Amino acid sequence: MTSRMCHEDQECLCSLKTTVEEHSSALKELRATVEELKKENQARPKVAFSAALSESKGPFDTDIILVYKHVITNIGNAYSPSTGIFKAPVSGTYYFRFTAFSYTNNHRRVSLYKGGQLVVTVTDVQSGQDGEDSGSNGATLQLEKGEEVYTQLKAQHHVYDDYAHHTTFTGFLIFL
């Protein structure tokens, strides 16, 4: 009986050894995959910005590109606070969102443009009883490197902003 138990114990040990080796091999593969993903993530460009107007704009006789001078964040420096234009540093899929605030009897209409083409708009027509209003809109856009995105204030319309940063523009790279 002792030799039989010994034989069974050896089979059991061999089986456990095989299982441990298989798990060890799988663990090494997983570690290699994690390291590869870390390297890919570090190599992936980081692009994100948020900015606010900091002062009211309009009404003007012509449409104008809104220049958000108060930069909250500008990772990758793809947004220009001197022109109000975001320029894609790499081709990829990006998300953009903007909010426009108004409180006077002026109408508000701000639109998001990609390469000069209208994408989405926020509009508000003020009435005598209407006070403060804000509106937001956003879009996911496929951009090629160098393509530009900006917001534009429609002629004869108005947006309000001050130190509280009511009127903002935000964008970030989702994936390549």
Side-chain angles (χ1 to χ4, degrees):
M1 175 101 30
T2 312
S3 72
R4 186 171 182 210
M5 283 182 66
C6 187
H7 182 64
E8 287 176 1
D9 287 345
Q10 286 178 347
E11 284 181 20
C12 190
L13 286 173
C14 284
S15 176
L16 284 173
K17 183 179 177 186
T18 301
T19 301
V20 167
E21 288 171 353
E22 289 171 356
H23 286 199
S24 178
S25 177
L27 184 58
K28 284 179 186 176
E29 288 179 32
L30 286 172
R31 283 184 178 147
T33 301
V34 166
E35 289 305 314
E36 186 177 316
L37 289 171
K38 282 181 182 178
K39 287 177 187 174
E40 285 177 16
N41 189 43
Q42 288 171 350
R44 180 180 171 218
K46 312 266 188 295
V47 182
F49 77 94
S50 282
L53 279 183
S54 298
E55 61 186 5
S56 298
K57 299 287 181 184
F60 299 105
D61 292 333
T62 60
D63 298 351
I64 64 154
I65 292 175
L66 289 173
V67 179
Y68 301 82
K69 293 182 179 179
H70 177 78
V71 175
I72 299 164
T73 188
N74 196 6
I75 299 165
N77 295 313
Y79 172 75
S80 170
S82 59
T83 65
I85 297 172
F86 172 86
K87 188 173 184 177
V90 294
S91 297
T93 303
Y94 293 81
Y95 180 74
F96 295 93
R97 180 152 200 85
F98 63 101
T99 299
F101 178 77
S102 61
Y103 77 97
T104 66
N105 287 334
N106 294 307
H107 304 310
R108 177 193 69 227
R109 176 178 241 157
V110 176
S111 301
L112 181 72
Y113 284 81
K114 171 189 169 186
Q117 299 296 311
L118 175 67
V119 179
V120 293
T121 298
V122 167
T123 301
D124 184 42
V125 177
Q126 297 284 351
S127 67
Q129 300 294 321
D130 202 5
E132 300 177 350
D133 284 315
S134 67
S136 293
N137 212 335
T140 302
L141 302 174
Q142 182 66 41
L143 299 178
E144 296 301 320
K145 181 178 180 178
E147 280 192 289
E148 297 179 339
V149 176
Y150 56 89
T151 63
Q152 185 171 286
L153 178 65
K154 182 80 174 154
Q156 304 307 318
H157 289 72
H158 172 267
V159 290
Y160 177 83
D161 204 16
D162 60 19
Y163 66 91
H165 310 305
H166 304 278
T167 300
T168 59
F169 183 31
T170 296
F172 55 87
L173 174 64
I174 301 172
F175 51 83
L176 299 175

Short mmCIF file of all heavy atoms in Angstrom, two decimals, residues 2-29:
data_model
loop_
_atom_site.label_atom_id
_atom_site.label_comp_id
_atom_site.label_asym_id
_atom_site.label_seq_id
_atom_site.Cartn_x
_atom_site.Cartn_y
_atom_site.Cartn_z
N THR A 2 2.02 1.18 0.67
CA THR A 2 2.89 2.34 0.77
C THR A 2 3.42 2.72 -0.61
O THR A 2 3.48 3.89 -0.94
CB THR A 2 4.07 2.02 1.71
OG1 THR A 2 3.56 1.45 2.89
CG2 THR A 2 4.82 3.27 2.05
N SER A 3 3.80 1.73 -1.40
CA SER A 3 4.32 2.05 -2.73
C SER A 3 3.22 2.61 -3.62
O SER A 3 3.46 3.45 -4.46
CB SER A 3 4.96 0.82 -3.36
OG SER A 3 3.98 -0.11 -3.73
N ARG A 4 1.98 2.13 -3.41
CA ARG A 4 0.86 2.64 -4.19
C ARG A 4 0.60 4.12 -3.84
O ARG A 4 0.40 4.94 -4.72
CB ARG A 4 -0.39 1.80 -3.90
CG ARG A 4 -1.54 2.20 -4.77
CD ARG A 4 -2.67 1.21 -4.62
NE ARG A 4 -3.71 1.63 -5.52
CZ ARG A 4 -4.98 1.44 -5.32
NH1 ARG A 4 -5.36 0.77 -4.26
NH2 ARG A 4 -5.86 1.83 -6.17
N MET A 5 0.61 4.49 -2.55
CA MET A 5 0.42 5.87 -2.12
C MET A 5 1.55 6.74 -2.64
O MET A 5 1.33 7.86 -3.09
CB MET A 5 0.33 5.97 -0.60
CG MET A 5 -1.01 5.52 -0.05
SD MET A 5 -1.11 5.69 1.72
CE MET A 5 -1.03 7.42 1.93
N CYS A 6 2.72 6.20 -2.62
CA CYS A 6 3.89 6.94 -3.10
C CYS A 6 3.73 7.23 -4.59
O CYS A 6 3.98 8.33 -5.04
CB CYS A 6 5.15 6.13 -2.83
SG CYS A 6 6.65 7.06 -3.23
N HIS A 7 3.27 6.24 -5.34
CA HIS A 7 3.06 6.41 -6.77
C HIS A 7 1.97 7.45 -7.04
O HIS A 7 2.12 8.31 -7.90
CB HIS A 7 2.70 5.05 -7.39
CG HIS A 7 2.52 5.11 -8.88
ND1 HIS A 7 3.56 5.43 -9.71
CD2 HIS A 7 1.43 4.91 -9.66
CE1 HIS A 7 3.11 5.43 -10.95
NE2 HIS A 7 1.80 5.10 -10.94
N GLU A 8 0.87 7.38 -6.28
CA GLU A 8 -0.22 8.35 -6.42
C GLU A 8 0.26 9.75 -6.03
O GLU A 8 -0.10 10.73 -6.67
CB GLU A 8 -1.42 7.95 -5.57
CG GLU A 8 -2.17 6.76 -6.12
CD GLU A 8 -3.31 6.31 -5.22
OE1 GLU A 8 -3.54 6.94 -4.16
OE2 GLU A 8 -3.97 5.33 -5.58
N ASP A 9 1.06 9.84 -4.98
CA ASP A 9 1.60 11.13 -4.56
C ASP A 9 2.49 11.72 -5.64
O ASP A 9 2.46 12.93 -5.91
CB ASP A 9 2.39 11.01 -3.26
CG ASP A 9 1.48 10.79 -2.05
OD1 ASP A 9 0.26 11.03 -2.17
OD2 ASP A 9 2.02 10.39 -1.00
N GLN A 10 3.29 10.88 -6.29
CA GLN A 10 4.17 11.35 -7.36
C GLN A 10 3.35 11.85 -8.55
O GLN A 10 3.67 12.87 -9.14
CB GLN A 10 5.14 10.24 -7.79
CG GLN A 10 6.24 10.00 -6.80
CD GLN A 10 7.16 8.87 -7.23
OE1 GLN A 10 6.84 8.11 -8.15
NE2 GLN A 10 8.28 8.76 -6.55
N GLU A 11 2.29 11.13 -8.89
CA GLU A 11 1.42 11.57 -9.98
C GLU A 11 0.77 12.90 -9.64
O GLU A 11 0.65 13.80 -10.48
CB GLU A 11 0.34 10.52 -10.26
CG GLU A 11 0.82 9.31 -11.01
CD GLU A 11 -0.31 8.31 -11.27
OE1 GLU A 11 -1.49 8.71 -11.19
OE2 GLU A 11 0.02 7.16 -11.54
N CYS A 12 0.33 13.01 -8.41
CA CYS A 12 -0.30 14.24 -7.94
C CYS A 12 0.70 15.40 -8.00
O CYS A 12 0.37 16.49 -8.45
CB CYS A 12 -0.84 14.04 -6.53
SG CYS A 12 -1.88 15.41 -5.96
N LEU A 13 1.93 15.16 -7.54
CA LEU A 13 2.96 16.20 -7.58
C LEU A 13 3.30 16.60 -9.01
O LEU A 13 3.48 17.78 -9.31
CB LEU A 13 4.22 15.74 -6.84
CG LEU A 13 4.13 15.73 -5.31
CD1 LEU A 13 5.39 15.10 -4.72
CD2 LEU A 13 3.93 17.13 -4.78
N CYS A 14 3.38 15.60 -9.88
CA CYS A 14 3.68 15.88 -11.28
C CYS A 14 2.56 16.73 -11.90
O CYS A 14 2.80 17.67 -12.65
CB CYS A 14 3.85 14.58 -12.07
SG CYS A 14 5.42 13.77 -11.77
N SER A 15 1.33 16.39 -11.58
CA SER A 15 0.18 17.13 -12.07
C SER A 15 0.20 18.57 -11.55
O SER A 15 -0.04 19.51 -12.30
CB SER A 15 -1.12 16.42 -11.66
OG SER A 15 -2.23 17.17 -12.06
N LEU A 16 0.50 18.75 -10.29
CA LEU A 16 0.58 20.08 -9.71
C LEU A 16 1.72 20.88 -10.33
O LEU A 16 1.57 22.07 -10.61
CB LEU A 16 0.76 20.00 -8.19
CG LEU A 16 -0.47 19.65 -7.37
CD1 LEU A 16 -0.11 19.43 -5.92
CD2 LEU A 16 -1.53 20.73 -7.49
N LYS A 17 2.85 20.21 -10.54
CA LYS A 17 3.99 20.88 -11.15
C LYS A 17 3.64 21.37 -12.56
O LYS A 17 3.95 22.50 -12.92
CB LYS A 17 5.18 19.91 -11.21
CG LYS A 17 6.43 20.55 -11.77
CD LYS A 17 7.59 19.57 -11.78
CE LYS A 17 8.81 20.23 -12.41
NZ LYS A 17 9.91 19.32 -12.57
N THR A 18 2.94 20.53 -13.32
CA THR A 18 2.52 20.91 -14.67
C THR A 18 1.57 22.10 -14.62
O THR A 18 1.70 23.06 -15.40
CB THR A 18 1.83 19.71 -15.37
OG1 THR A 18 2.75 18.62 -15.43
CG2 THR A 18 1.39 20.07 -16.77
N THR A 19 0.63 22.09 -13.69
CA THR A 19 -0.33 23.19 -13.54
C THR A 19 0.39 24.48 -13.17
O THR A 19 0.11 25.55 -13.73
CB THR A 19 -1.39 22.84 -12.48
OG1 THR A 19 -2.07 21.65 -12.88
CG2 THR A 19 -2.39 23.97 -12.31
N VAL A 20 1.33 24.42 -12.24
CA VAL A 20 2.10 25.59 -11.83
C VAL A 20 2.90 26.14 -13.01
O VAL A 20 2.95 27.36 -13.24
CB VAL A 20 3.01 25.27 -10.63
CG1 VAL A 20 4.03 26.37 -10.39
CG2 VAL A 20 2.17 25.03 -9.38
N GLU A 21 3.52 25.26 -13.80
CA GLU A 21 4.30 25.70 -14.96
C GLU A 21 3.40 26.38 -16.00
O GLU A 21 3.77 27.40 -16.58
CB GLU A 21 5.04 24.52 -15.58
CG GLU A 21 6.21 24.03 -14.73
CD GLU A 21 6.82 22.72 -15.25
OE1 GLU A 21 6.26 22.11 -16.19
OE2 GLU A 21 7.85 22.31 -14.68
N GLU A 22 2.20 25.81 -16.23
CA GLU A 22 1.25 26.42 -17.18
C GLU A 22 0.81 27.80 -16.70
O GLU A 22 0.76 28.75 -17.47
CB GLU A 22 0.03 25.51 -17.37
CG GLU A 22 0.33 24.25 -18.16
CD GLU A 22 -0.84 23.27 -18.15
OE1 GLU A 22 -1.86 23.53 -17.47
OE2 GLU A 22 -0.72 22.24 -18.83
N HIS A 23 0.50 27.89 -15.42
CA HIS A 23 0.07 29.18 -14.86
C HIS A 23 1.21 30.19 -14.88
O HIS A 23 0.99 31.39 -15.15
CB HIS A 23 -0.47 29.00 -13.44
CG HIS A 23 -1.82 28.36 -13.40
ND1 HIS A 23 -2.64 28.46 -12.30
CD2 HIS A 23 -2.52 27.63 -14.29
CE1 HIS A 23 -3.77 27.81 -12.54
NE2 HIS A 23 -3.70 27.28 -13.75
N SER A 24 2.42 29.74 -14.62
CA SER A 24 3.58 30.61 -14.64
C SER A 24 3.81 31.15 -16.05
O SER A 24 4.08 32.34 -16.23
CB SER A 24 4.81 29.84 -14.15
OG SER A 24 5.95 30.65 -14.22
N SER A 25 3.66 30.29 -17.04
CA SER A 25 3.82 30.70 -18.43
C SER A 25 2.74 31.71 -18.82
O SER A 25 3.03 32.73 -19.47
CB SER A 25 3.74 29.47 -19.34
OG SER A 25 3.83 29.85 -20.68
N ALA A 26 1.51 31.45 -18.42
CA ALA A 26 0.41 32.37 -18.72
C ALA A 26 0.63 33.72 -18.04
O ALA A 26 0.36 34.78 -18.62
CB ALA A 26 -0.93 31.76 -18.29
N LEU A 27 1.12 33.69 -16.82
CA LEU A 27 1.40 34.92 -16.08
C LEU A 27 2.49 35.73 -16.78
O LEU A 27 2.38 36.96 -16.89
CB LEU A 27 1.80 34.59 -14.64
CG LEU A 27 2.04 35.76 -13.71
CD1 LEU A 27 0.80 36.65 -13.61
CD2 LEU A 27 2.44 35.27 -12.33
N LYS A 28 3.53 35.07 -17.29
CA LYS A 28 4.59 35.77 -18.01
C LYS A 28 4.03 36.45 -19.26
O LYS A 28 4.40 37.58 -19.58
CB LYS A 28 5.71 34.79 -18.39
CG LYS A 28 6.60 34.41 -17.24
CD LYS A 28 7.67 33.43 -17.67
CE LYS A 28 8.47 32.94 -16.47
NZ LYS A 28 9.45 31.92 -16.85
N GLU A 29 3.14 35.75 -19.97
CA GLU A 29 2.51 36.32 -21.16
C GLU A 29 1.68 37.55 -20.80
O GLU A 29 1.72 38.57 -21.49
CB GLU A 29 1.64 35.28 -21.87
CG GLU A 29 2.41 34.20 -22.59
CD GLU A 29 1.48 33.18 -23.26
OE1 GLU A 29 0.38 33.58 -23.69
OE2 GLU A 29 1.87 32.01 -23.32
#
